[in-house]
Amino acid sequence: MKKTPFATKEKLEEIAAKYPTPFHIYDEAGIRRNCEAVRAAFAWNAGYREYFAVKAEPNPFIMQIMKDYGFGMDCSSAAELVLSTASGFSGDEIMFSSNDTPTEEFALAAKYGAIINLDDFTQIDILEHTLGKIPETICCRYNPGGFYAVSNSIMDNPGDSKYGMTHEQILEAFKILKAKGAKRFGIHAFLVSNTVTNDYYPTLAGDLFKLAVEIKETCGVSLSFINLSGGVGIPYTPDQEPNDIAAIGAGVKRVYEKILVPAGLGDIALYTEMGRFMTGPYGALVTRAINAKHIYKEYIGVDACAANLMRPAMYGAYHHITVMGKEDAPADHKYDVVGSLCENNDKFAIDRFLPEIETGDLLFIHDTGAHGFSMGYNYNGRLWSAEILLHGDGTFDLIRRPETLRDYFATFDCFPVFDAIQKEL
């Protein structure tokens, strides 16, 4: 699959003239097309709702696009709860899925009426003590342990994951929650990350649907919803084929009709909790080449760094790079594309064959629309970049201004040195 930028060189230069690089840019039309495709894929389920994972791209402009399609927000912290509420989401439009959760965050989730998804069996007592009661609607996160296989291939190892309850714990949890007054129940599981296969959701759904039947039979609890969580991935490398969300939805439907309908559970609502799939391919980090270094390797230095996109440094993750204006030029130069951090892993690409790069060239780093900007940080005093939303008609808007030195030093306001710093800015 050829990786093609969603903006032209001319458009990016126009944007960069107003908002200097580096910046993250998002394709609104692409996000909207994907929202429509996801909604259509699960339209057969009357209660379906996508809960966008806020951690993937915590920007209210992006979140409100999701709201246009009736989606909700999945939150894992107080900040994400506040952001979701401020962006117009309320009540059961918010799913609170956290772990190692401070009690004050449970209290805030309850205040906003969010659906609380319990990660651990011990949180039942903690939640009751914090709120004075168990909410009428409650969800429990499941971890089957062992290895998780899809299409005869091991995809991940839930047994090493810190998330969720064991099989025995989740059955006991529903008995206790029912006795404590809960009336509407759900289950949730996130077992595999970034799968590029149409089989993951249907396989996971089958396992959770069987668990739902068991919960009904052993606990006397009929689930109201099942959250398939995330895990549906995107093709970061050009050799991968993207997931077909319509085929995925159809596969889940077949399993639903095979397992849940005969068990009298054909009214269970399905939820998903995708982040990467919803926005990942529709974002890019745009950066400019500012330096070339010729030592034991050929290096191209850019004005972005791992503080703007940490996935390559943290995971060795691949992000495709297009040199704007040279899309059809031969990729006959081998480079490490690097940032300016004082860390040798600050590299967007290692031994990558690209067209010849000259100082001033714009580089379009693909697939940063999820877990790109949101994983940024301030090491070496590097500042967070701007975020730009590119509309379908070619116009664009600043949806987050770039951080300034004044922002960076703002938390020193409790020290005498703060006044001296401010005079320098």
Side-chain angles (χ1 to χ4, degrees):
M1 181 189 74
K2 184 177 180 180
K3 291 275 189 182
T4 303
F6 53 75
T8 64
K9 178 179 184 294
E10 292 71 25
K11 179 56 65 175
L12 294 178
E13 289 287 10
E14 178 189 349
I15 296 170
K18 186 172 184 180
Y19 305 115
T21 57
F23 54 78
H24 283 269
I25 186 169
Y26 306 97
D27 175 17
E28 181 183 8
I31 294 172
R32 288 188 179 279
R33 285 193 302 271
N34 200 39
C35 287
E36 291 168 0
V38 167
R39 187 169 63 178
F42 292 93
W44 54 269
N45 181 261
Y48 173 74
R49 177 178 281 163
E50 155 66 13
Y51 284 86
F52 176 65
V54 177
K55 60 181 172 286
E57 177 44 35
N59 189 297
F61 292 87
I62 303 297
M63 294 161 66
Q64 286 171 348
I65 292 174
M66 305 292 169
K67 190 170 180 61
D68 288 346
Y69 296 88
F71 297 164
M73 292 290 120
D74 175 75
C75 301
S76 60
S77 68
E80 292 178 358
L81 284 166
V82 170
L83 181 59
S84 296
T85 301
S87 299
F89 297 87
S90 62
D92 65 3
E93 294 176 330
I94 302 173
M95 179 79 65
F96 183 60
S97 299
S98 63
N99 68 95
D100 192 23
T101 308
T103 56
E104 57 268 25
E105 293 192 356
F106 277 139
L108 186 62
K111 173 185 174 182
Y112 292 152
I115 299 172
I116 294 175
N117 181 25
L118 293 176
D119 177 70
D120 179 43
F121 184 81
T122 65
Q123 290 179 338
I124 297 174
D125 288 341
I126 293 171
L127 185 64
E128 184 178 33
H129 178 75
T130 301
L131 304 182
K133 63 178 181 179
I134 293 295
E136 289 194 359
T137 298
I138 197 74
C139 185
C140 292
R141 185 169 185 168
Y142 176 56
N143 183 336
F147 293 92
Y148 200 75
V150 177
S151 301
N152 298 316
S153 175
I154 292 174
M155 304 295 288
D156 218 327
N157 183 3
D160 275 350
S161 169
K162 67 175 181 175
Y163 306 112
M165 304 183 196
T166 68
H167 183 264
E168 293 76 15
Q169 286 175 339
I170 204 165
L171 294 178
E172 184 64 19
F174 279 115
K175 293 175 184 176
I176 293 171
L177 291 166
K178 180 183 178 182
K180 290 182 178 292
K183 301 185 184 306
R184 186 170 179 262
F185 304 88
I187 54 174
H188 167 286
F190 179 82
L191 305 182
V192 176
S193 180
N194 195 41
T195 62
V196 187
T197 168
N198 295 333
D199 295 332
Y200 171 59
Y201 256 6
T203 301
L204 172 65
D207 293 339
L208 294 184
F209 295 167
K210 291 173 186 174
L211 178 61
V213 174
E214 183 180 7
I215 289 170
K216 178 185 178 183
E217 293 174 348
T218 62
C219 306
V221 169
S222 292
L223 298 181
S224 298
F225 60 89
I226 295 174
N227 189 335
L228 301 178
S229 188
V232 178
I234 63 173
Y236 284 101
T237 59
D239 61 321
Q240 293 179 306
E241 288 296 320
N243 284 317
D244 182 341
I245 196 65
I248 291 171
V252 174
K253 181 181 181 183
R254 286 192 294 272
V255 182
Y256 188 98
E257 292 175 343
K258 179 180 178 181
I259 298 173
L260 291 182
V261 173
L265 296 173
D267 58 349
I268 290 181
L270 293 184
Y271 300 157
T272 54
E273 187 187 286
M274 296 181 283
R276 193 189 316 265
F277 183 80
M278 298 305 302
T279 57
Y282 312 108
L285 175 60
V286 178
T287 183
R288 198 177 292 279
I290 60 172
N291 188 51
K293 185 173 183 177
H294 318 286
I295 49 172
Y296 305 105
K297 302 179 77 171
E298 292 295 306
Y299 293 95
I300 293 295
V302 297
D303 58 6
C305 63
N308 304 113
L309 176 65
M310 84 183 315
R311 295 187 72 255
M314 185 176 185
Y315 304 125
Y318 179 95
H319 281 267
H320 198 64
I321 297 175
T322 296
V323 183
M324 300 305 298
K326 300 180 180 180
E327 293 86 348
D328 298 320
D332 55 3
H333 286 63
K334 185 167 71 172
Y335 298 114
D336 281 15
V337 179
V338 305
S340 60
L341 294 188
C342 297
E343 295 289 341
N344 199 42
N345 67 348
D346 181 17
K347 298 181 178 183
F348 295 111
I350 298 174
D351 294 333
R352 184 79 60 87
F353 282 95
L354 293 164
E356 183 179 9
I357 299 174
E358 300 169 277
T359 298
D361 281 346
L362 283 180
L363 275 61
F364 185 98
I365 303 178
H366 292 253
D367 302 317
T368 72
H371 312 291
F373 181 94
S374 65
M375 292 176 71
Y377 55 101
N378 282 125
Y379 183 58
N380 276 170
R382 295 300 171 185
L383 304 178
W384 290 56
S385 71
E387 291 186 291
I388 311 294
L389 185 63
L390 178 63
H391 305 296
D393 62 1
T395 60
F396 54 90
D397 285 307
L398 182 71
I399 59 173
R400 189 192 303 259
R401 66 167 175 82
E403 189 179 28
T404 67
L405 285 175
R406 190 172 294 275
D407 297 323
Y408 178 78
F409 290 119
T411 52
F412 286 125
D413 59 358
C414 52
F415 294 97
V417 73
F418 180 75
D419 290 339
I421 291 173
Q422 294 298 304
K423 289 177 182 178
E424 296 297 321
L425 300 178

